[in-house]
Amino acid sequence: MNNASALAVEVRDLRVRRGRTQVFSGLQLDIPRGQITGLLGPSGCGKTTLMRSIVGVQKVEGGTVTVLGEPAGTHPQRRRVAYDTQAASVYGDLTVSQNLHYFARLIGAPRSDVDRVIEQVGLVGHADQTIASLSGGEETRVSLAVAMLGSPELLVLDEPTVGLDPVLRAELWTLFRALADGGATLIVSSHVMDEAVRCDRLVLMRAGRIIADTTPDGLLADTATSDPDAAFLALVERDEATAADDAERLAVTDRTPEEPAKLPLPGAAESPAITPEPSESEAPVEPAEPPEHPLTRRELREAQQTHGESSPASDEEEGGR
């Protein structure tokens, strides 16, 4: 058996946005055939969005979802895949039996399936009652019975045990086990962690991410705990610590490194600061004194006579006389 035939669901790089909220950013998941896979996590973690993507009713941004070897939501899967939503999808003014006969005709299931599923969900005594007269838990079981019509290969059940008493929950889990043992694949979501031990495989989700894909025994062993609630809390704490470490590493990577200060080598004497002398081109230029204005010959002669000096010209004149 190759890997493809061993898988009921293959999710690759699934991206889903709802409004301004990015629900999934590249989700990866494999779900094996013939097992009960539990989707567990707090409300709002993305369980219902993942289930809607698997049955092909969720608008996706990107990635692929392959179900039973075909793209999710294709026409042939209408009889091979069943989806039981959180809200009961039945008609309140019809009886239990009338609802089941109606949906059996829609999907082409045999009439004998109606009595079979009524018995399996424990509603034999309520077959002729209208849905409006049933309790909330009974209405939930009618919706589950509709999903079981036609013996689908894959049942996607969104919190099928919510609001049920412990006895009825135990009965339904016995039914789920019988369906899986008969070859069906079940994906069951829940936020009740004690239901984890009833699954073959566990996918624990938080804030649109898968934080664990393991088995019940593997979950307890990995977290060194003795009950699923403590194990999930341990995984949440581990996930938060990992996210904080990743954020710190990213912040360190984004910092601009500063230039390290240049320190003197050990034992090296500190050199005195030397102020470099300016070069010739940088030396200040002293302003030149303005040149003296030359005296005329007459002014020079008058000055010499005033100081009792004679000029060569006057000597020549006297000698000529």
Side-chain angles (χ1 to χ4, degrees):
M1 182 180 292
N2 58 36
N3 186 56
S5 61
L7 296 176
V9 178
E10 300 172 75
V11 178
R12 296 290 180 268
D13 195 29
L14 179 62
R15 300 185 301 281
V16 175
R17 178 183 293 276
R18 302 187 73 171
R20 295 184 178 181
T21 302
Q22 188 73 42
V23 183
F24 298 136
S25 300
L27 193 74
Q28 311 278 353
L29 177 65
D30 289 335
I31 296 178
R33 288 178 183 256
Q35 295 186 8
I36 302 176
T37 296
L39 291 182
L40 294 103
S43 299
C45 69
K47 300 188 300 293
T48 297
T49 301
L50 177 57
M51 288 183 151
R52 287 171 52 84
S53 301
I54 290 173
V55 299
V57 296
Q58 175 64 53
K59 183 178 180 180
V60 302
E61 235 183 7
T64 61
V65 180
T66 305
V67 178
L68 303 175
E70 299 177 352
T74 55
H75 182 74
Q77 293 180 352
R78 291 184 59 185
R79 290 174 173 81
R80 302 177 69 192
V81 179
Y83 179 35
D84 182 20
T85 63
Q86 289 185 29
S89 303
V90 288
Y91 295 99
D93 57 344
L94 299 180
T95 66
V96 173
S97 180
Q98 288 170 338
N99 268 283
L100 291 169
H101 277 96
Y102 171 73
F103 286 107
R105 287 197 302 271
L106 282 182
I107 64 173
R111 292 177 61 87
S112 59
D113 265 12
V114 174
D115 293 334
R116 173 180 66 83
V117 298
I118 287 178
E119 183 178 358
Q120 286 179 316
V121 299
L123 290 176
V124 174
H126 303 280
D128 295 328
Q129 284 185 242
T130 61
I131 301 300
S133 68
L134 300 177
S135 67
E138 290 167 342
E139 185 176 356
T140 298
R141 280 185 283 163
V142 177
S143 188
L144 175 59
V146 172
M148 294 167 55
L149 289 168
S151 301
E153 298 174 52
L154 173 64
L155 289 97
V156 181
L157 311 177
D158 197 353
E159 300 193 357
T161 61
V162 65
L164 303 182
D165 62 77
V167 174
L168 186 53
R169 283 173 54 198
E171 291 177 356
L172 286 184
W173 276 102
T174 300
L175 171 60
F176 297 160
R177 174 53 57 194
L179 292 172
D181 290 344
T185 302
L186 286 81
I187 303 174
V188 183
S189 73
S190 177
H191 60 268
V192 181
M193 293 304 300
D194 63 1
E195 295 187 339
V197 296
R198 301 178 182 272
C199 301
D200 298 305
R201 190 146 201 91
L202 298 175
V203 176
L204 281 81
M205 301 183 66
R206 182 169 185 263
R209 294 177 294 107
I210 295 174
I211 62 175
D213 184 355
T214 183
T215 63
D217 290 340
L219 173 65
L220 299 179
D222 183 46
T223 57
T225 56
S226 58
D227 69 272
D229 280 321
F232 183 70
L233 291 175
L235 285 176
V236 169
E237 292 175 359
R238 182 187 303 175
D239 181 63
E240 289 177 346
T242 301
D245 290 342
D246 291 344
E248 186 171 349
R249 280 195 296 270
L250 182 62
V252 170
T253 304
D254 290 344
R255 284 181 194 153
T256 303
E258 297 180 0
E259 176 137 12
K262 295 181 181 179
L263 301 177
L265 296 175
E270 188 174 342
S271 301
I274 300 175
T275 304
E277 295 184 359
S279 62
E280 293 183 1
S281 60
E282 297 175 344
V285 179
E286 295 290 337
E289 294 184 1
E292 294 182 357
H293 190 279
L295 299 177
T296 62
R297 292 173 65 90
R298 180 178 177 179
E299 290 173 335
L300 178 60
R301 187 169 54 248
E302 290 177 349
Q304 289 174 341
Q305 290 176 354
T306 301
H307 295 286
E309 297 177 359
S310 59
S311 65
S314 61
D315 291 343
E316 290 176 0
E317 290 177 0
E318 289 180 358
R321 286 178 185 172

